[in-house]
Amino acid sequence: MTIRTEQPADYEAVYQVVKNAFKTAGQSDGSEQDLVNALRQSSAFIPELSLVCEIHGKIVGHILFTKLQIGEHTALALAPLSVLPEYQRQGIGTSLILNGHKTAKSLGYSYSVVLGSEKYYPRTGYLPAEKFGIQPCFEVPSKNFMACKLCENAPTISGIVKYAAEFGIS
């Protein structure tokens, strides 16, 4: 398994990975692959935080972290995380998240937020965001809106999350 920064030559393969990964997901509107394309064109995009996982030269997973605002602070949104169904439950998603966190920390980011499974994301350091004083800008069970403090000495932040416009969340 190799995790590396996504390159433009990977875009079509990543599109297919994201599309296939969310095909059977319970919480999906089927447009996650188009969201990735839109986010790549946005000011929220951070090329170093768009990562792919390759196995034997085949892209089988992708993760994207983009900029968002929490009050006056810039943080990250983890969305989406995609692994081809036949490669799920093999540690690929966890490896993508942890590699992304390491890169994000090296780039100076202190927090990441995610909307997702309360059973999956806590294993990579995510806790209910309300514990940090971080609030969603939409209605969601608090157990599914999580944040991860990427640096031990990160400043305390609080506020309502403001996603990039491409997410379509006001």
Side-chain angles (χ1 to χ4, degrees), residues 4-169:
R4 63 171 176 79
T5 305
E6 176 192 51
Q7 302 299 312
D10 301 326
Y11 290 175
E12 181 55 35
V14 167
Y15 186 91
Q16 294 303 320
V17 166
V18 177
K19 183 176 180 178
N20 288 318
F22 281 92
K23 201 177 278 186
T24 58
Q27 300 295 320
S28 171
D29 66 4
S31 67
E32 288 82 5
Q33 66 278 359
D34 298 319
L35 174 62
V36 170
N37 283 346
L39 286 166
R40 280 193 201 107
Q41 305 304 314
S42 77
S43 61
F45 183 63
I46 307 159
E48 300 89 341
L49 290 174
S50 184
L51 305 174
V52 296
C53 176
E54 281 184 327
I55 295 180
H56 304 300
K58 177 182 178 179
I59 294 176
V60 300
H62 175 259
I63 193 169
L64 183 60
F65 293 87
T66 52
K67 291 184 242 178
L68 57 64
Q69 292 300 122
I70 302 171
E72 298 298 316
H73 300 276
T74 300
L76 299 171
L78 186 175
L81 169 63
S82 311
V83 177
L84 288 174
E86 62 270 27
Y87 289 90
Q88 292 175 5
R89 301 190 187 285
Q90 297 178 30
I92 293 169
T94 298
S95 293
L96 283 164
I97 293 169
L98 296 177
N99 274 268
H101 285 176
K102 182 178 175 185
T103 300
K105 186 176 176 180
S106 75
L107 294 172
Y109 294 96
S110 299
Y111 290 88
S112 173
V113 300
V114 68
L115 175 62
S117 169
E118 76 280 6
K119 294 177 179 148
Y120 181 77
Y121 288 98
R123 69 177 90 160
T124 57
Y126 286 86
L127 302 169
E130 65 189 6
K131 292 184 184 237
F132 298 103
I134 300 170
Q135 301 298 318
C137 56
F138 47 82
E139 289 293 320
V140 61
S142 62
K143 68 182 182 179
N144 299 115
F145 186 72
M146 294 165 272
C148 180
K149 189 175 181 179
L150 301 173
C151 307
E152 284 184 32
N153 61 348
T156 301
I157 65 172
S158 63
I160 297 173
V161 170
K162 183 176 182 198
Y163 286 87
E166 290 74 15
F167 280 97
I169 304 167

